[in-house]
Structures are given as structure tokens and as C-alpha cells.
Amino acid sequence: MSVILLILKIIGIVLLVLLGLLVLFLCAVIFYPAGYRISGSFEEELELHARLHWLFHLFCFSFRIVGEEKRAVLYILGIPKQIYPAVEKKEKRHRRKKRRSQSDAPGEKTYDWEMEEEDGEEAVLQTMQMTSIETENVMSSEKDILREEITLPDKISSWKRFQQKIKQIFRKIGSFFQTLPAKVRLVYSNFSKWKGIFTDEANRASVRLFYSEIKYLAFHYKPRRVKADIRYGLGDPALTGKSLAVLSMIPFLYKKKVQIVPDFETEKFFVEGNLDAGGYIRIFHLIRSGLHIWKDDNCKKFIRKLRQ
């Protein structure tokens, strides 16, 4: 009986330790700040570098755009893992053909083994080629046994799905910057419609709540250090003036190291200059604002109107 109680005691202690570690990890995710830094230059070619680090730089995410080239790397405990772009299949095939050409020789028994890449992008393959007819059946049976022992298709398929989602996110980011001028013009053309929605008497309570939460998030997520020298134009003097009025409402842009110069004479959309900004974010603030909006019935009705 004492042995059973001792085993139960050990199991309980282990479960409590695991529960404590889980609670500690959740608290770290919610309350420990993650630092971010965004730097870039907007000249003839776009060059943008964003970096997000968390927990004493043990986890880092880096995203870089240079012209048409995009690259994303995840660092876990200092070990890099390239997320985007993935290794091209053509390059893998070229390496395989080169390996085969180096290993094959006429008149000899050759074996060509191809194992799964460590990144798990392709399914596990093991092929075997023999020029000897006598041992063909034996080697094919060994190949079947090895394939039965390897049970990774589910993990690989899930990893592939994850990579596809990451690729879609980066494609959306790239398309966002490419279609930004058209979106700005679309918002300007529908300005009267949006103005009517936001100034409606029935939506004022929701608008005030949204404004207060956006102001709260902007206060906590705003860059702690900013250095910028930007010159821009939207192709329309009226639209450029309105955008400058919106930018003038952002307090941290009044710092000494921030210079924003609008161009009212240009007839095309352009953004030129340099930017270097960094700060900290906490998930706690986002959860708090989300709960405030989710609990408000007026905000739910307002969101339904915006979706229509």
C-alpha cells in the first residue's frame, strides 16, 4: 500500500510541475513583451527589414524584402530555419541527378539511396537500383520493409500545409504593398460613404469605443524610438493634404528625428526615404481590447453594418 501511495505522490508532483510550467509559459506569452524593429529605405528599389524577438532573443523572426526578393527566417535558440522561400524542387532534382551521375558506373552493381530532406518538405523516399537480375527480388523486399518501418507521412503533410500557409501570408504582404496606391484611391472614392457610417447617430457609441481602444493600443504599441526621413506623394493634391492631416494626428511623428515632407505637385504615387523604428508589444493589451469590443452589443451591430 505504501508503494502505491508513493507512486501516486510522485505522479501528482510531476503533474503539478508540468501544470506550473504550462501556466508559467502562458503568462510569459501574455505578459512578457516582444521587441520589434523595422528598418528600410524607399528609393528606386524597396528594401525593408523587420525583426521580432521574444524571451531574451531565444525566439526571433526576421523578414526581409529587397526589390522582388522576399526572405523569412525563424530562429529558435539561435538555430536558423528558413521559412520562405522554401527550397525549390528543381534544385533538389538537380542535386539528385548529380549524385546519381557521380555514383553510377557501367558494369557494376549500383545502389541509389535517397532519404528525406531534414526540412520534411517532401515525403520519405527510398529507391534502390540494381543492375544484377539475381538480387532484384531480394533488394525490392528489403525496400518494402524499410518503407513500412517509416511512418512520417502525417507529420510531413501537416508541415507542408503549414509552409503553404506561410507562403500565402507573405504573398499577401507583397501584394498589399503593390496594390496600396489603388486601395488608397478606392478609400478616397468611398470617403462619403464611410463618413456617413461613422457619423451616424446610432453608431456614435461604437465609434467612440473603437477610437478609445485604438488609442489605447497605439499608446502601448507605438515605437519607442523612431528615426525617419520620408518624402511622399499620392498623385492628387487633395488626397495628399488629407493624408498629411491624418499623419499630423499621430503624436510620435513630432519627434525631432522624424521628417515627413509631402509633394503636392507630383502626378504619381511615390514614397522615398529612410525609416528606422523599434518598440515592444504585449499580447495582454490586444486581448483586453478584444474583450471590450466583443462584449459590447453596439460594436457587434456596427461590425455587421461594415460587412454589408
Side-chain angles (χ1 to χ4, degrees):
M1 188 66 181
S2 60
V3 175
I4 296 175
L5 292 176
L6 181 61
I7 294 173
L8 294 175
K9 181 179 178 181
I10 294 173
I11 293 173
I13 292 173
V14 172
L15 291 176
L16 287 175
V17 171
L18 293 176
L19 181 61
L21 291 176
L22 179 62
V23 172
L24 182 62
F25 177 76
L26 291 176
C27 290
V29 170
I30 296 174
F31 296 103
Y32 192 84
Y36 67 89
R37 182 176 182 182
I38 301 173
S39 59
S41 61
F42 311 90
E43 303 295 341
E44 296 180 357
E45 188 177 54
L46 173 63
E47 183 176 350
L48 182 66
H49 183 208
R51 186 178 180 87
L52 181 68
H53 60 85
W54 180 67
L55 204 62
F56 304 105
H57 292 264
L58 295 179
F59 302 92
C60 296
F61 177 75
S62 175
F63 179 64
R64 181 184 294 271
I65 299 177
V66 180
E68 298 295 332
E69 182 182 356
K70 305 178 185 67
R71 187 169 183 265
V73 182
L74 178 65
Y75 296 88
I76 300 177
L77 302 179
I79 302 173
K81 174 62 180 178
Q82 183 169 326
I83 299 177
Y84 183 88
V87 180
E88 297 292 339
K89 293 183 179 180
K90 292 182 179 180
E91 296 180 1
K92 292 186 177 182
R93 291 173 184 171
H94 178 70
R95 289 199 299 267
R96 289 173 184 168
K97 290 180 180 179
K98 187 176 180 181
R99 198 182 307 124
R100 289 176 184 173
S101 62
Q102 292 177 354
S103 60
D104 290 348
E108 297 181 1
K109 298 179 180 180
T110 61
Y111 303 86
D112 187 10
W113 297 82
E114 296 184 358
M115 298 299 294
E116 164 66 12
E117 296 286 339
E118 292 181 358
D119 56 1
E121 183 183 356
E122 298 183 350
V124 178
L125 299 174
Q126 290 191 355
T127 62
M128 188 177 299
Q129 298 177 350
M130 296 184 61
T131 58
S132 176
I133 302 175
E134 297 177 356
T135 57
E136 183 177 0
N137 295 330
V138 177
M139 298 306 296
S140 61
S141 62
E142 291 180 0
K143 181 175 63 174
D144 294 335
I145 293 172
L146 289 172
R147 285 182 176 176
E148 290 177 358
E149 291 177 354
I150 299 172
T151 57
L152 294 176
D154 295 337
K155 295 182 180 179
I156 294 170
S157 61
S158 62
W159 173 253
K160 278 187 176 181
R161 288 194 296 269
F162 175 74
Q163 282 190 327
Q164 290 296 330
K165 291 181 180 179
I166 295 297
K167 289 180 182 179
Q168 291 177 1
I169 291 172
F170 289 125
R171 289 194 190 100
K172 289 180 181 179
I173 293 173
S175 63
F176 172 77
F177 286 103
Q178 293 176 357
T179 60
L180 183 60
K183 290 180 178 179
V184 172
R185 296 188 186 97
L186 180 62
V187 171
Y188 178 70
S189 61
N190 296 329
F191 180 76
S192 59
K193 174 185 175 182
W194 293 103
K195 183 179 179 181
I197 293 175
F198 283 95
T199 56
D200 190 2
E201 186 70 26
N203 299 329
R204 286 191 176 182
S206 302
V207 172
R208 282 196 296 268
L209 180 59
F210 273 108
Y211 177 75
S212 62
E213 295 302 329
I214 292 173
K215 186 177 179 182
Y216 172 81
L217 292 176
F219 175 77
H220 290 282
Y221 290 171
K222 67 180 180 182
R224 297 295 189 268
R225 54 189 182 280
V226 183
K227 185 178 181 181
D229 185 6
I230 299 174
R231 181 172 175 265
Y232 78 99
L234 301 181
D236 185 356
L239 187 58
T240 303
K242 290 181 179 179
S243 65
L244 184 63
V246 173
L247 292 175
S248 64
M249 297 171 63
I250 303 176
F252 67 85
L253 294 180
Y254 288 95
K255 294 185 178 180
K256 295 181 180 180
K257 296 183 179 180
V258 177
Q259 294 182 356
I260 299 178
V261 181
D263 188 347
F264 295 95
E265 298 179 357
T266 183
E267 297 181 354
K268 62 179 182 179
F269 176 87
F270 78 94
V271 178
E272 295 178 353
N274 301 303
L275 172 67
D276 188 6
Y280 298 94
I281 58 176
R282 285 184 176 89
I283 298 180
F284 167 76
H285 302 300
L286 188 63
I287 295 174
R288 172 197 173 277
S289 297
L291 288 176
H292 282 186
I293 295 173
W294 179 70
K295 291 190 300 182
D296 190 80
D297 294 332
N298 294 325
C299 288
K300 294 179 182 179
K301 296 178 182 177
F302 182 68
I303 292 173
R304 292 195 205 99
K305 290 181 180 180
L306 293 177
R307 290 180 177 178
Q308 293 177 357

